[in-house]
Amino acid sequence: MANEIWTIKRCLEWTKEYLAERGEEHPRLSAEWLLCAATGLARIDLYMRMDETLNAAQLETMHAAVVRRAKGEPLQYITGSTQFRMIDVACAPGVLIPRPETEMLVEEVLNYLDTEVLSPEAAARQRVELPWNDEVEQARKAEAALADERATAERRAANLTAADEAALGGDVLGSRAYAEELADREAEEAAAQAAEAEAAEAAVPELDEYGIAIEGADQETVSAQDAAASAPAEPRTARVLEVGCGTGCISLSIAWERRGHVTCTATDIEPRAIDLATKNRDALGLTSDEVAFSLTNLVSSIPREEWGTFDVLVSNPPYIPTDVMRSLPHEVKDFEPDLALEGGADGLDIFRRLLNAAPYMLRAGGLFACELYEGALDAAAELCRQAGLSDVRIVHDLTDRPRIVRAIVTEPKQRQ
């Protein structure tokens, strides 16, 4: 293979046919992924540079990748990365590959943070009674009255015929000439009143001979009242706890998409996961203050003083029921880690432990959200209700399968 001339086009077609013969479900797409990884080109660039020749190093990389894929190894492990929402994350054997369903879990968390933590609906602004409010109101009423008089005069004038005007005389109230003159005068008066009202509302300060505003006690009081009424509440920094972080895709996406407004603490029991997640964090330019990873079992490493301070506890825990594990596709069952997949007889072993921890980790009103096996969502929702959580909901994925359970902790607990 290395002694022949292999263009991008030839390599793409050969790989597609080779993988198709070995049962690859999407052989062309797989061939494109592998070629992009081997050449460093974007997918669209492959089709713009079809006649370019692969060098020896690219051919060697491509050959090894095709052999691995033909054995069923996931593309993400072979290419070493995948896209997740707005970020690219490195992938490696021993760590669960991110799925599209998990992107929806992130979306649920972000929606909650946006509506309940970062940008809570501000209370309706109440009108402050300022010294000139009565004057402005009177001016507005006068303006409205003048407008009504003008409209009445115009209607009266419009109903007069030329004969009526001649019979009544030019100086009679109600003639068209008089009505037009009255309307013009009233329009001028209304405009003047409106200008005065605007000036009053604008509260232009009095200036001294040098053009500097003269400060007075009344003016300072008014300014303070107006500022207090108009100043929005400062958003606070949200705190997210993720259990079982894997590649770190959940915490990293949340921190990346709401940078400066969210800090994440993420745990995993697998050292390879912590190492990979840290690598992904560094590649994004995020700091340990923004996303902190911890090697531990569930929430064991969370300091006691941080209990009850989190706004969200989110997890994509191992959730495949034991019996279902045997029927998983070859590339999942034989390549991805069982530790990140199997969730016990009903798929809820780890979920139950997380549910038990949630009231201790979350503040009042905090969100508990988990991605789970489609056949276990009803049972998980019922467990949430029995645990005293409120607003329990089941969210469906893009294929309309139940996938996420979310609930609110209304009564946090404190362990003695």
Side-chain angles (χ1 to χ4, degrees):
M1 187 174 181
N3 295 326
E4 302 178 46
I5 296 177
W6 286 84
T7 63
I8 289 177
K9 180 178 181 181
R10 182 185 178 193
C11 191
L12 180 63
E13 294 301 324
W14 184 91
T15 303
K16 181 190 71 172
E17 293 175 7
Y18 182 84
L19 294 178
E21 290 172 358
R22 283 153 182 78
E24 172 68 48
E25 187 175 359
H26 303 289
R28 188 174 192 87
L29 181 61
S30 293
E32 290 171 346
W33 270 44
L34 297 178
L35 260 174
C36 287
T39 62
L41 297 175
R43 188 177 173 191
I44 190 172
D45 291 333
L46 294 178
Y47 291 91
M48 297 177 66
R49 301 164 71 169
M50 281 290 197
D51 294 331
E52 286 192 12
T53 303
L54 300 179
N55 60 40
Q58 292 170 335
L59 279 172
E60 184 178 352
T61 300
M62 190 65 183
H63 178 263
V66 171
V67 170
R68 292 170 66 182
R69 183 57 187 162
K71 293 179 179 178
E73 187 173 351
L75 284 165
Q76 294 89 340
Y77 288 161
I78 300 171
T79 62
S81 67
T82 192
Q83 188 172 27
F84 186 85
R85 290 180 65 89
M86 298 174 64
I87 63 176
D88 289 326
V89 294
C91 299
V95 182
L96 189 71
I97 298 169
R99 263 61 173 191
E101 294 86 355
T102 309
E103 295 187 2
M104 295 188 62
L105 180 62
V106 172
E107 188 71 17
E108 287 296 316
V109 172
L110 291 177
N111 287 339
Y112 167 81
L113 292 177
D114 288 345
T115 58
E116 303 298 332
V117 182
L118 301 180
S119 301
E121 291 184 6
R125 179 183 175 185
Q126 307 232 348
R127 189 175 179 218
V128 179
E129 286 302 322
L130 300 176
W132 55 77
N133 277 351
D134 287 340
E135 297 175 9
V136 172
E137 196 61 37
Q138 291 299 325
R140 285 175 176 166
K141 289 180 179 179
E143 179 183 351
L146 288 171
D148 287 341
E149 290 179 8
R150 177 183 179 184
T152 300
E154 288 177 339
R155 286 194 298 271
R156 292 171 61 188
N159 290 330
L160 293 175
T161 65
D164 291 332
E165 288 182 13
L168 294 172
D171 60 343
V172 177
L173 181 64
S175 69
R176 179 172 287 115
Y178 180 85
E180 290 176 353
E181 180 183 349
L182 176 63
D184 291 339
R185 186 170 66 250
E186 291 172 344
E188 292 175 358
E189 292 174 353
Q193 292 283 356
E196 292 176 4
E198 287 182 4
E201 283 198 290
V204 178
E206 183 182 356
L207 304 180
D208 62 14
E209 59 182 317
Y210 301 103
I212 300 175
I214 301 174
E215 296 185 358
D218 291 342
Q219 179 182 327
E220 290 175 355
T221 301
V222 168
S223 298
Q225 289 176 330
D226 194 54
S230 62
E234 286 293 327
R236 65 180 179 83
T237 300
R239 304 196 71 223
V240 174
L241 172 61
E242 181 192 0
V243 177
C245 64
T247 62
C249 60
I250 293 176
S251 287
L252 294 175
S253 288
I254 292 170
W256 180 259
E257 295 184 39
R258 298 296 183 274
R259 192 163 191 181
H261 301 287
V262 179
T263 61
C264 299
T265 299
T267 71
D268 205 293
I269 198 172
E270 170 57 61
R272 288 175 292 182
I274 295 297
D275 290 344
L276 186 61
T278 302
K279 174 183 176 181
N280 283 324
R281 180 191 67 197
D282 295 344
L284 288 169
L286 294 169
T287 68
S288 58
D289 289 334
E290 294 173 295
V291 183
F293 293 111
S294 176
L295 179 64
T296 190
N297 184 19
L298 301 181
V299 298
S300 299
S301 67
I302 305 302
R304 186 65 62 95
E305 60 269 20
E306 294 186 22
W307 289 15
T309 66
F310 293 98
D311 297 289
V312 175
L313 195 166
V314 60
S315 181
N316 176 20
Y319 62 66
I320 305 298
T322 303
D323 289 343
V324 178
M325 287 287 295
R326 291 189 287 270
S327 62
L328 291 176
H330 165 57
E331 68 177 68
V332 176
K333 179 175 59 178
D334 295 334
F335 289 95
E336 296 197 67
D338 287 353
L339 183 64
L341 292 169
E342 186 171 355
D346 61 356
L348 296 175
D349 281 3
I350 302 299
F351 172 80
R352 288 185 176 87
R353 297 173 65 183
L354 293 172
L355 177 59
N356 182 63
Y360 296 98
M361 296 295 110
L362 294 172
R363 63 167 177 79
L367 175 70
F368 175 56
C370 284
E371 177 183 332
L372 296 170
Y373 178 65
E374 61 188 81
L377 267 298
D378 288 335
E382 183 57 30
L383 288 172
C384 288
R385 297 186 188 96
Q386 292 175 6
L389 275 63
S390 65
D391 194 19
V392 180
R393 306 181 204 172
I394 294 174
V395 180
H396 288 234
D397 63 21
L398 296 176
T399 62
D400 203 30
R401 292 186 176 92
R403 184 60 62 193
I404 297 166
V405 64
R406 51 160 292 168
I408 299 297
V409 169
T410 53
E411 297 182 6
K413 297 180 181 179
Q414 293 185 353
R415 189 166 292 165
Q416 301 299 326

